[in-house]
Amino acid sequence: MMEEEKYSPKFLNWVRTVVDAVSINAYETMVVPGMLQTPAYARALYEVRVPAYEPEEIDRYVEVRLELQAVLDRKPRPTVSYVVEEAALQRPIGGDAVLKEQLAHLLESVRTRNHLTVQVMPTHRPVHAGLHGALQLLSTAKGRNLGFAEGQGGDTLISKPEEVNRLIDLFGVLRAQALSPWESAALIERMAAKL
C-alpha cells in the first residue's frame, strides 16, 4: 500500500477510494491524465509549478503519481474512461521530446488495455459541455459514486448523490461530444508524428 504521508490530507481519502474503484471516469482540460503520464511528463509538470516545489518534493510527487498508476493493472481491473482536451495533448510540457514520448505512451496504453478508453475533445467544437473545468468520477464496489474536482482554490470531494449524478450526466454528454476512441487514437498518432 502507498505510504499515507506522501499525500495531502484532502487528497488521501480520494486516493484510498481510487485504489479500490470499479470504475474511474475523468475529463481533463489542461494535462494528460495522471494515471497515463510518463515519468518525464509528470516530472516536467511538477517542475513548472508556481509556486515552485523543492527538488525533493518533485521527486516525491512523481513517485506518488507513478505508484497510483498501478490501479490500471490491478485485478479485478477497473473500467477507466477519459475525455481529454485536444489542447492538453498539444501542450509541450517538458519539450517536444517529452510530449512525443507521452503521446506514444498514451497510444500504447489504450492499445494494450481493453478496459481503458481515451477520447479527445476537439478544440474546434461549436458546443461543449465541459466549460466549467475538469472533473473526476468513480464508483466503488459497494455502488457508491463520488466526484472530485481540483482547482485554483483547492480540491473538492463531491459525495452528495444529486451532485454526483449531475456530474455523471455531464460526463456522458462530454463523451458524446468527443471523438470516438478510434478517431481519438488516430488523432493522437498524427499529433505524435508531427513532433
Side-chain angles (χ1 to χ4, degrees):
M1 180 64 182
M2 293 168 248
E3 300 170 43
E4 292 183 10
E5 64 270 8
K6 293 179 184 176
Y7 300 97
S8 69
K10 288 182 180 180
F11 195 59
L12 184 57
N13 283 341
W14 180 254
V15 169
R16 286 180 177 149
T17 310
V18 167
V19 168
D20 295 321
V22 295
S23 73
I24 301 167
N25 300 300
Y27 166 57
E28 292 289 347
T29 61
M30 301 300 291
V31 297
V32 171
M35 294 262 206
L36 301 174
Q37 292 174 4
T38 63
Y41 184 89
R43 179 167 297 283
L45 285 174
Y46 289 118
E47 288 175 345
V48 299
R49 182 187 184 268
V50 176
Y53 283 130
E54 294 298 322
E56 60 275 1
E57 289 178 296
I58 292 170
D59 291 342
R60 188 175 78 239
Y61 286 128
V62 170
E63 180 184 344
V64 167
R65 176 71 41 99
L66 299 178
E67 283 179 358
L68 254 178
Q69 293 178 2
V71 169
L72 289 175
D73 296 315
R74 71 155 165 80
K75 292 190 178 161
R77 290 199 167 116
T79 301
V80 181
S81 297
Y82 291 110
V83 173
V84 183
E85 283 292 327
E86 180 179 359
L89 301 176
Q90 295 171 328
R91 188 169 289 114
I93 302 287
D96 286 347
V98 170
L99 180 59
K100 184 173 183 125
E101 176 191 42
Q102 177 59 66
L103 295 177
H105 176 71
L106 191 56
L107 286 169
E108 179 69 15
S109 294
V110 297
R111 289 177 176 151
T112 59
R113 293 178 170 115
N114 63 3
H115 63 290
L116 170 65
T117 303
V118 174
Q119 292 178 254
V120 176
M121 177 64 77
T123 301
H124 188 73
R125 277 287 194 252
V127 293
H128 193 315
L131 298 178
H132 293 290
L135 66 94
Q136 298 179 55
L137 297 162
L138 62 77
S139 296
T140 68
K142 294 181 180 179
R144 187 165 185 218
N145 295 315
L146 296 168
F148 191 78
E150 297 175 271
Q152 296 291 342
D155 304 336
T156 305
L157 181 64
I158 302 161
S159 59
K160 289 184 180 177
E162 60 275 10
E163 292 177 22
V164 176
N165 287 339
R166 185 182 58 77
L167 293 177
I168 290 169
D169 291 344
L170 175 62
F171 187 73
V173 173
L174 286 167
R175 288 190 73 187
Q177 292 175 342
L179 298 175
S180 74
W182 303 275
E183 293 168 323
S184 297
L187 175 60
I188 295 167
E189 195 164 10
R190 288 192 304 274
M191 293 166 78
K194 291 179 182 177
L195 294 172

